[in-house]
Amino acid sequence: MSTTHKAHCLILPYPVQGHINPMLQFSKRLQSKGVNITIAPTKSFLKTMQELPTSVSIEAISDGYDDGGIDQEESFLAYITRFKEVGSDTLTQLIKKLENCECPVNCIVYDPFLPWAVEIAKDFGLVSAAFFTRNCVVDNIYYHVHKGVLKLPPTQVDGQILIPGLLSTIESSDVPSFESSPQSDKLVEMLVNQFSNLEKVDWVLINSFYELEKKVIDWMAKLYPIKTIGPTIPSMYLDKRLPNDKEYGLSLFKPMAKECLNWLNHHTISSVVYVSFGSMAKLEAEQMEELAWGLKNSNKNFLWVVRSTEESKLPKNFIEELKLASENQGFVVSWCPQLQVLEHKSIGCFLTHSGWNSTLEAISLGVPMVTMPQWSDQPTNAKLVQDVWEMGVRAKQDEKGIVRREIIEESIKLVMEEEKGKVIRENAKKWKEFARNAVDEGGSSDKNIEEFVSSLMTIS
């Protein structure tokens, strides 16, 4: 006979904002369905936060570098090795500590960058769930690298790559890319190792939604117990069923919220290009210059996020000239509340690095994209945006790896003015609807989350 009991999930994220935010949002969904949550970031990560979520319980573990995290260690391999050793110990201690609480942990939801968590879950007899923060197509590519079918970077022989379930062929310029260095080789190894013990886990959760990549998900579901649970963005931008869920509640930078929204309020519907390359991307000075003039020459209004560490790469006097200009064409800020900006009626296009979280936010809010992918999974996301979901265009690089100002200007105009842009804008509206329906009551992701929760609350 089965009995129901309270479930308690311990969430183990990899310590970067782009990985923690989706897991935090998933935690809020679980919490709304009666699951206890403890999220366990590293001590070093917690020290860098400007803002922390108040809705969930936080207990830190250690990566062995409590003062500076990965920045304290020159070698990525050394960092990962020590993280495994110290992380395993401190995670074990945390689970033991939580055994004494009213509702002990019965499940670990872990980021597959930290595959050692599976063994710890098994030692304690806990349910294990891998949480992939990327989409299923990207996961599928890494799976094929893991199996030795594909190489990263692809060899010339690969030419066009076929992904099971994806109708569009993938060129070598569309697969995840990394600079060639020993550090990057280790990073690729870590991405591939996500699959090293995946056959041992009880659940594989994917930050995407079924309607977005049906056939790829169906193919992967033959190999692993895959469930899509996204989009993992605050509920008030989607189904609005969690009334207090308007922010991620976690931030590395302080957003200039008031200034951004005030500036946008002075512009007409769909007239502004919003430009942001996320929290990590670093552009070359030459690329910054081309981007600056591409935006200026497009004659569109633009809101551009340039992190304070990147500002020196802007053309000389660029910000001063914008401030002096009477037409109020451009506004450069150090950080902004991205969801509130994307939701704003004045936004007509999002010029993005195609990080998955940003892409998912644009899909969820129905904003057409111009993509300028930099590295990692971004080229693949850009390919999907342009050729599969048809809600944006990729601004192509030249042989030097720079996207020139003319291409940037053309791409913006194509999305915001031309006939093809009309189709892109219609598709963006369609995907927005699908995204909301997926997490709304009875939607594909909602059903998957319900199934996960009820399995945790039932012991046979």
Side-chain angles (χ1 to χ4, degrees):
M1 189 178 138
S2 61
T3 55
T4 59
H5 66 113
K6 200 112 172 75
H8 185 169
C9 279
L10 181 59
I11 312 286
L12 182 68
Y14 185 75
V16 291
Q17 185 166 345
H19 281 241
I20 291 189
N21 277 348
M23 293 182 98
L24 186 56
Q25 282 310 122
F26 178 60
S27 301
K28 293 178 193 173
R29 293 269 172 197
L30 294 179
Q31 215 171 24
S32 74
K33 295 178 188 288
V35 178
N36 278 14
I37 297 291
T38 300
I39 190 159
T42 57
K43 289 175 184 169
S44 54
F45 181 79
L46 285 174
K47 284 180 184 170
T48 62
M49 286 295 99
Q50 292 280 341
E51 184 187 6
L52 285 172
T54 50
S55 55
V56 295
S57 163
I58 298 175
E59 293 274 358
I61 64 162
S62 175
D63 54 8
Y65 300 92
D66 292 349
D67 295 326
I70 196 162
D71 296 337
Q72 251 183 284
E73 178 52 79
E74 279 179 23
S75 149
F76 184 65
L77 176 62
Y79 174 74
I80 286 297
T81 309
R82 185 151 170 76
F83 192 171
K84 178 180 179 176
E85 186 188 312
V86 180
S88 299
D89 281 350
T90 50
L91 181 63
T92 300
Q93 287 162 25
L94 176 57
I95 296 167
K96 285 179 175 166
K97 174 183 159 185
L98 295 172
E99 277 176 350
N100 301 321
C101 72
E102 191 182 315
C103 174
V105 169
N106 67 337
C107 171
I108 294 183
V109 178
Y110 75 98
D111 188 312
F113 274 26
L114 310 171
W116 43 264
V118 178
E119 311 311 326
I120 293 171
K122 293 285 169 245
D123 289 347
F124 282 93
L126 308 176
V127 172
S128 57
F131 187 106
F132 283 86
T133 55
R134 304 288 173 254
N135 61 54
C136 209
V137 171
V138 168
D139 298 332
N140 192 314
I141 291 172
Y142 291 141
Y143 166 79
H144 281 94
V145 178
H146 169 65
K147 286 292 180 195
V149 176
L150 250 185
K151 276 193 163 54
L152 285 183
T155 50
Q156 289 312 107
V157 186
D158 292 333
Q160 289 190 324
I161 298 153
L162 284 167
I163 297 296
L166 193 68
L167 298 174
S168 185
T169 53
I170 290 217
E171 308 284 329
S172 54
S173 61
D174 301 323
V175 300
S177 66
F178 303 89
E179 59 185 54
S180 46
S181 71
Q183 298 284 52
S184 292
D185 292 347
K186 287 298 159 201
L187 179 56
V188 172
E189 200 178 301
M190 180 170 85
L191 288 159
V192 170
N193 278 344
Q194 296 180 102
F195 295 90
S196 61
N197 55 4
L198 207 59
E199 68 290 339
K200 294 180 183 173
V201 306
D202 303 295
W203 296 80
V204 176
L205 308 168
I206 308 256
N207 180 22
S208 180
F209 57 101
Y210 181 66
E211 293 72 14
L212 199 59
E213 30 184 5
K214 285 180 186 170
K215 290 196 163 76
V216 181
I217 290 162
D218 287 343
W219 187 85
M220 289 287 278
K222 292 173 188 163
L223 307 171
Y224 301 110
I226 278 182
K227 298 285 175 191
T228 47
I229 48 77
T232 52
I233 76 164
S235 169
M236 291 312 287
Y237 295 95
L238 287 163
D239 56 322
K240 300 182 167 46
R241 288 192 296 154
L242 309 185
N244 300 323
D245 188 23
K246 185 88 175 148
E247 304 283 337
Y248 290 108
L250 186 82
S251 185
L252 273 170
F253 308 105
K254 208 160 179 44
M256 295 169 63
K258 209 168 153 196
E259 298 89 329
C260 291
L261 297 169
N262 188 25
W263 187 83
L264 290 173
N265 288 338
H266 288 86
H267 290 92
T268 54
I269 291 178
S270 302
S271 66
V272 175
V273 183
Y274 167 56
V275 188
S276 175
F277 284 75
S279 59
M280 286 172 80
K282 294 180 174 74
L283 298 186
E284 301 285 333
E286 186 181 0
Q287 181 62 84
M288 284 288 262
E289 179 149 352
E290 292 297 320
L291 182 50
W293 295 118
L295 290 168
K296 197 121 177 41
N297 299 346
S298 74
N299 292 324
K300 298 286 178 216
N301 302 314
F302 60 89
L303 172 62
W304 185 7
V305 176
V306 179
R307 301 191 310 277
S308 48
T309 50
E310 295 284 284
E311 207 178 289
S312 62
K313 299 174 189 173
L314 284 168
K316 199 167 182 291
N317 303 331
F318 185 74
I319 294 180
E320 289 70 20
E321 284 168 23
L322 283 180
K323 283 177 184 165
L324 292 171
S326 55
E327 66 273 15
N328 201 12
Q329 186 198 355
F331 187 32
V332 176
V333 295
S334 58
W335 197 246
C336 78
Q338 185 157 291
L339 287 162
Q340 287 179 55
V341 168
L342 288 172
E343 188 188 39
H344 199 281
K345 62 183 187 328
S346 67
I347 299 295
C349 162
F350 180 15
L351 199 159
T352 170
H353 65 311
S354 301
W356 183 233
N357 292 335
S358 288
T359 303
L360 209 44
E361 288 174 0
I363 290 169
S364 300
L365 292 165
V367 181
M369 287 171 265
V370 169
T371 65
M372 277 178 57
Q374 302 299 303
W375 70 303
S376 185
D377 60 330
Q378 296 160 16
T380 313
N381 300 336
K383 164 75 177 175
L384 296 169
V385 164
Q386 178 174 286
D387 294 341
V388 179
W389 306 321
E390 297 179 345
M391 61 173 290
V393 293
R394 178 172 177 175
K396 287 280 193 203
Q397 301 172 330
D398 63 11
E399 63 289 342
K400 269 185 76 183
I402 302 287
V403 181
R404 296 292 162 193
R405 60 189 74 181
E406 302 77 20
I407 300 290
I408 292 166
E409 183 188 340
E410 267 168 40
S411 303
I412 290 169
K413 286 181 172 167
L414 185 148
V415 169
M416 292 179 77
E417 291 173 11
E418 292 173 27
E419 200 55 39
K420 189 178 175 189
K422 209 191 258 179
V423 178
I424 286 171
R425 294 192 294 275
E426 284 307 313
N427 284 335
K429 279 186 198 148
K430 175 188 84 175
W431 287 117
K432 175 184 180 177
E433 198 66 20
F434 277 130
R436 194 189 66 224
N437 291 343
V439 291
D440 210 346
E441 197 167 348
S444 54
S445 293
D446 184 56
K447 279 183 183 160
N448 289 339
I449 296 170
E450 283 286 352
E451 192 186 325
F452 178 63
V453 169
S454 65
S455 78
L456 295 181
M457 291 187 171
T458 311
I459 296 184
S460 44

